[in-house]
Amino acid sequence: MPSGPGIPTLDQLRIFLTIVDVGSFAGAARRLGRATSVISYSIANLEAQLGVSLFDRESTRKPQLTEAGRMVLAEARTVSNGVDGLRAKVRGLLQGLEAEIHLVLDVMLPAWRVVDALKEFRAEFPTVHLRLNVEALGAVTQMVLSRSASIGVGWPLDAEIAGIERIGVGGVELVPVAAPDHPLARARQNAPGAGRDHIQLVLTDRSPFTQGQDMAVVATQTWRLADLGSKHMLLKEGIGWGNMPEPMVRDDLAAGRLVHLDMPDCRGGSYRLQAIYRTDTPPGPAGSWLIKRFQEQAESPTARADENAARSLAGARPQTIKAAE
């Protein structure tokens, strides 16, 4: 019964890949600093171990891959890339670089900030595995406290929590909106308390930190949603009213799909954001880079444009609110 193929060495695969890249045995010898005879001997041994011919040396002067060689090439690149990735991860660990970061972000964080941070992080730290969760309100802090996440960016709880370090990273402006056919939208100016008589869509907190508290809620009838996207959808369909991050509804307001409500007792406000981590497990180089990126975003022209757009829409500087609807 014939035995299976042998196990090639990493050096043999490296030589094989170099020949393919430069197009000749002599070129591979020059790049690797070895004699051409050593290169030929290594490939002959690799072919003998695998039991297949990798190059067609007879029909052309330049070595051409055989069908088997093309198949082996794809697998050899996978193995080589895997080893390179392993070495990079270990090198990072030796330098103090985290192997993995679990990040939890507040659902209110504008999309452009999320995309910017994640794209740049992947380019800066390709070997660090990033796990991402999106939560609302106190659930961000809860995940960091329970060690389910190492870094969080979210709404700062009013109460001081032992063991949590906080770093301000800006915020996002909230505006009260409803569909154009909603009674609150049809009124040019609503009287104080007008919102109490209509369903208010409220973003609920899945953590115990704000249990029993109805901050920034004025309506007697509320619908509680844990997903901001669902709230956005219902608002556009004319079901209820509520506060939304201005960047998320900017296009809807411009197109008339939503209307900014003039409500003297509910003008929205500034939803502050903080980066947090446990003091007993401070972030390493990659985590610190992430936090710094969120800090830099808060001072960027795009962030200032977001804030100015919200203020212009409200007609005045909005107040700071304690929690989001």
Side-chain angles (χ1 to χ4, degrees), residues 97-98 101 115-125 130 151 283-297:
L97 187 64
E98 306 94 320
I101 291 177
V115 172
D116 169 78
L118 298 188
K119 279 188 173 181
E120 293 301 318
F121 180 86
R122 187 168 58 181
E124 190 76 17
F125 301 98
L130 184 67
I151 298 173
S288 298
W289 183 96
L290 260 177
I291 293 174
K292 184 178 179 182
R293 187 72 182 188
F294 285 116
Q295 287 180 287
E296 292 172 346
Q297 288 177 348

Side-chain angles (χ1 to χ4, degrees), residues 108-110 112-113 170-177 228 242-250 253 260 267-273 298 302-314 316-321 323-324:
M108 293 289 188
L109 192 66
W112 72 265
R113 297 189 64 176
V172 61
E173 302 300 327
L174 303 183
V175 293
V177 296
L228 192 63
N243 274 343
M244 288 291 289
E246 189 277 333
M248 190 173 184
V249 297
R250 186 178 300 164
L253 293 170
H260 175 234
R267 296 191 176 277
S270 180
Y271 184 90
R272 293 179 297 126
L273 293 165
T302 305
R304 288 195 290 270
D306 283 350
E307 185 176 358
N308 290 337
R311 290 179 182 177
S312 175
L313 185 65
R317 182 179 181 88
Q319 62 182 344
T320 299
I321 64 174

Side-chain angles (χ1 to χ4, degrees), residues 171-196:
V172 61
E173 302 300 327
L174 303 183
V175 293
V177 296
D181 59 350
H182 192 279
L184 293 176
R186 291 199 298 266
R188 293 188 61 183
Q189 184 176 16
N190 288 287
R196 289 197 296 266

Side-chain angles (χ1 to χ4, degrees), residues 79-91:
V79 172
S80 178
N81 291 338
V83 171
D84 289 344
L86 173 63
R87 288 169 55 85
K89 284 182 180 290
V90 172
R91 189 183 307 116

Side-chain angles (χ1 to χ4, degrees), residues 99-180:
E100 179 180 87
I101 291 177
H102 194 162
L103 175 68
V104 55
L105 300 177
D106 195 301
V107 68
M108 293 289 188
L109 192 66
W112 72 265
R113 297 189 64 176
V114 177
V115 172
D116 169 78
L118 298 188
K119 279 188 173 181
E120 293 301 318
F121 180 86
R122 187 168 58 181
E124 190 76 17
F125 301 98
T127 66
V128 178
H129 180 59
L130 184 67
R131 298 173 60 194
L132 176 66
N133 276 76
V134 177
E135 288 290 349
L137 301 169
V140 173
T141 300
Q142 185 180 40
M143 286 196 68
V144 174
L145 273 176
S146 66
R147 302 185 190 274
S148 299
S150 50
I151 298 173
V153 175
W155 170 65
L157 300 175
D158 289 336
E160 190 68 27
I161 297 180
I164 291 291
E165 192 69 47
R166 308 183 185 192
I167 301 170
V169 292
V172 61
E173 302 300 327
L174 303 183
V175 293
V177 296

